[in-house]
């Protein structure tokens, strides 16, 4: 259950947008933790041939991925913190 109505809207919007590209699961539980994944996407075995130009998102959708929509733009410090986790 989401605490913010805009979070629920983002999840439903992305589910509808991505459903033609593959299987979409909303609020998938993570085993071993008390957390949920906002959106888990499984690509279709045969991607649709449509006129959708989703830019970088279409490249992300080529494999299984986790998507977490944000209500507000992250600050520069938050982006740097996420990048530091990668290195």
């Amino acid at each position: 259950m989401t605490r913010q109505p805009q979070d629920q809207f983002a999840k439903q919007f992305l589910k509808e947008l991505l459903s033609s590209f593959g299987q979409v699961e909303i609020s998938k539980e993570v085993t071993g933790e008390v957390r949920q994944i906002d959106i888990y996407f499984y690509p279709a075995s045969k991607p649709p041939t449509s006129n959708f130009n989703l830019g970088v998102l279409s490249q992300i959708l080529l494999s299984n991925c986790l998507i977490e929509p944000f209500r507000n733009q992250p600050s520069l410090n938050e982006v740097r913190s996420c990048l530091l986790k990668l290195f």
Side-chain angles (χ1 to χ4, degrees):
M1 176 136 176
T2 59
R3 287 176 259 160
Q4 304 292 334
Q6 56 269 32
D7 290 344
Q8 186 64 30
F9 170 76
K11 289 177 186 180
Q12 290 297 328
F13 177 79
L14 285 169
K15 181 177 182 179
E16 291 298 320
L17 177 69
L18 303 177
S19 62
S20 62
F21 293 92
Q23 180 183 351
V24 181
E25 286 187 46
I26 294 180
S27 300
K28 181 177 171 93
E29 299 233 352
V30 178
T31 56
E33 293 187 33
V34 187
R35 295 192 173 238
Q36 288 186 340
I37 299 167
D38 281 350
I39 297 172
Y40 190 80
F41 178 78
Y42 305 92
S45 58
K46 208 173 175 189
T49 55
S50 63
N51 294 332
F52 283 154
N53 183 5
L54 300 178
V56 175
L57 182 58
S58 63
Q59 294 174 359
I60 293 171
L61 299 178
L62 293 175
S63 62
N64 292 4
C65 62
L66 308 175
I67 301 173
E68 179 152 355
F70 286 94
R71 173 173 78 244
N72 298 321
Q73 177 179 342
S75 70
L76 186 57
N77 287 336
E78 291 170 327
V79 172
R80 287 179 180 155
S81 175
C82 287
L83 288 174
L84 283 174
K85 291 178 184 177
L86 292 174
F87 302 110

